[in-house]
Amino acid sequence: MTTPPLSTTPPPGHVPVMLAEVLQMLAPRDGATYLDGTFGGGGYARAILAAARCTLWAIDRDPAAIRRGEALQAELRAAEGTGSSRLHMVEGGFGDMRALLEERGAPALDGVVLDLGVSSFQIDEGARGFSFRHDGPLDMRMGDTGPTAADIVNRTDESDLADILYQYGEERLSRRVARAIVAARAQEPILTTFRLAEIIRSVVPGDRSGIDPATRSFQGLRIHVNDELGQIRSGLEQALEMLAPGGRLVVVSFHSLEDRLVKQAMHRAAGRLPGPSRHDPRSIQARDEAPAFRLLTGRTLRPGDAECRANPRARSARLRAIERLPVADTSDTSPTERRP
């Protein structure tokens, strides 16, 4: 009796963004080893495992995501009738991927995919405190350790709080928001998402975009609580180092701060960033060193209109991809959509 194939249908409540484009750029193949550095709901992981008989390592710092991955492992074993699974779950942050994988004996990677957005499960679960649309404790942690958003809001001084909202949330009225938060917490601690959102809305007017006035401040707090930009910088550097020749890194980001870091890392790896001055002796060495990577996306890829209508959370998504060149071909740095 043949076993049923692994279902490509993600769990309810989770719609992987730009899935077709991710698979096209990653190009999974039999016998290869891949890493999903942000497992989340497992949409990419499930599709990769269904596309090829490959091995997949998956990292997430959310214990709930690890449990979802363990359920997928069981489903995979049942579908393939084996006692082992091609999926290996690892709890931790993708910014520590090198240490996490090396201590488990993982080989060089043929591909890495990173989805830098917040998991739909985290947004939709009010108790996680990510969304101002659901009342819940002001948490915002992707894992279960470290200071919460409530800790930051109630303990950070006004100037530093304003800097967090401005730098990570790009909130132009950050000082006004910080002042209102400090005044409100003097009356009683700010412990819920609804209360914080109300404070922000009281001093930030709405605009024509229709975006909730609390959006940018919530983003800034979330990024700070989870050190998201630090994770991205570290994760991109390590992912590029861990790719085998011909290996590919595919990254989906959702706002300008993330995309800027991805673009800089990929362009630098492909030799696309401006070099030092021609009067700087380092420029001679730079010209002699051929880039080890080539860009697979000359420009960012964006989701199509149909996907945006079906899944509004995809509207701000941007995809970039890069490939480590084979050892014998380190001179080609021109953008291409696929290998021949």
Side-chain angles (χ1 to χ4, degrees), residues 37 59 92-98 100 230-236 238:
I59 295 174
F94 69 85
D96 301 314
M97 67 174 70
R98 185 194 296 111
L100 291 171
Q231 283 279 304
I232 292 170
R233 291 187 186 96
S234 179
L236 291 172
Q238 293 175 44

Side-chain angles (χ1 to χ4, degrees), residues 190-209:
I190 303 168
L191 301 177
T192 68
T193 54
F194 270 15
R195 181 158 185 249
L196 177 60
E198 289 172 356
I199 294 167
I200 297 169
R201 292 176 188 135
S202 71
V203 294
V204 178
D207 57 32
R208 295 179 180 177
S209 70

Side-chain angles (χ1 to χ4, degrees), residues 159-175 177-178 216-217 219-221 257:
S159 177
D160 289 344
L161 186 56
D163 288 344
I164 290 170
L165 303 181
Y166 182 77
Q167 292 173 10
Y168 300 141
E170 299 179 293
E171 174 54 74
R172 294 181 297 102
L173 301 177
S174 62
R175 301 206 176 280
V177 174
R216 290 181 290 272
S217 293
Q219 172 185 296
L221 285 169
L257 294 176

Side-chain angles (χ1 to χ4, degrees), residues 57-225:
W57 294 81
I59 295 174
D60 206 294
R61 51 180 163 177
D62 186 347
I66 298 298
R67 291 192 293 271
R68 288 190 289 271
E70 291 168 347
L72 179 56
Q73 285 177 320
E75 183 181 341
L76 188 63
R77 284 192 291 266
E80 298 183 347
T82 61
S84 60
S85 173
R86 295 186 284 120
L87 171 63
H88 304 278
M89 297 301 303
V90 181
E91 185 170 348
F94 69 85
D96 301 314
M97 67 174 70
R98 185 194 296 111
L100 291 171
L101 295 189
E102 285 182 352
E103 69 184 22
R104 290 165 173 81
L109 300 171
D110 297 297
V112 178
V113 60
L114 300 173
D115 176 345
L116 303 182
V118 182
S119 166
S120 298
F121 293 99
Q122 293 171 336
I123 293 175
D124 293 338
E125 187 179 341
R128 301 299 299 272
F130 283 94
S131 176
F132 44 77
R133 303 187 189 282
H134 306 279
D135 196 18
L138 194 55
D139 193 318
M140 296 194 188
R141 294 174 300 172
M142 292 181 176
D144 56 5
T145 61
T148 66
D151 294 329
I152 304 302
V153 164
N154 290 292
R155 299 175 185 175
T156 306
D157 69 52
E158 182 177 324
S159 177
D160 289 344
L161 186 56
D163 288 344
I164 290 170
L165 303 181
Y166 182 77
Q167 292 173 10
Y168 300 141
E170 299 179 293
E171 174 54 74
R172 294 181 297 102
L173 301 177
S174 62
R175 301 206 176 280
R176 183 186 298 179
V177 174
R179 192 178 309 119
I181 288 174
V182 170
R185 77 189 188 193
Q187 303 301 316
E188 61 176 316
I190 303 168
L191 301 177
T192 68
T193 54
F194 270 15
R195 181 158 185 249
L196 177 60
E198 289 172 356
I199 294 167
I200 297 169
R201 292 176 188 135
S202 71
V203 294
V204 178
D207 57 32
R208 295 179 180 177
S209 70
I211 296 174
D212 192 290
T215 300
R216 290 181 290 272
S217 293
F218 267 65
Q219 172 185 296
L221 285 169
R222 190 202 77 225
I223 290 174
H224 177 74
V225 165

Side-chain angles (χ1 to χ4, degrees), residues 13-14 47 54 64 99 107 117 119 143 151 173 183 200 220 230 248 254 258 282-283 290 298 300 336:
H14 175 65
C54 57
S119 166
D151 294 329
L173 301 177
I200 297 169
R248 295 179 167 197
F254 290 85
E258 297 171 343
R282 292 175 297 175
S283 64
T300 56
T336 181

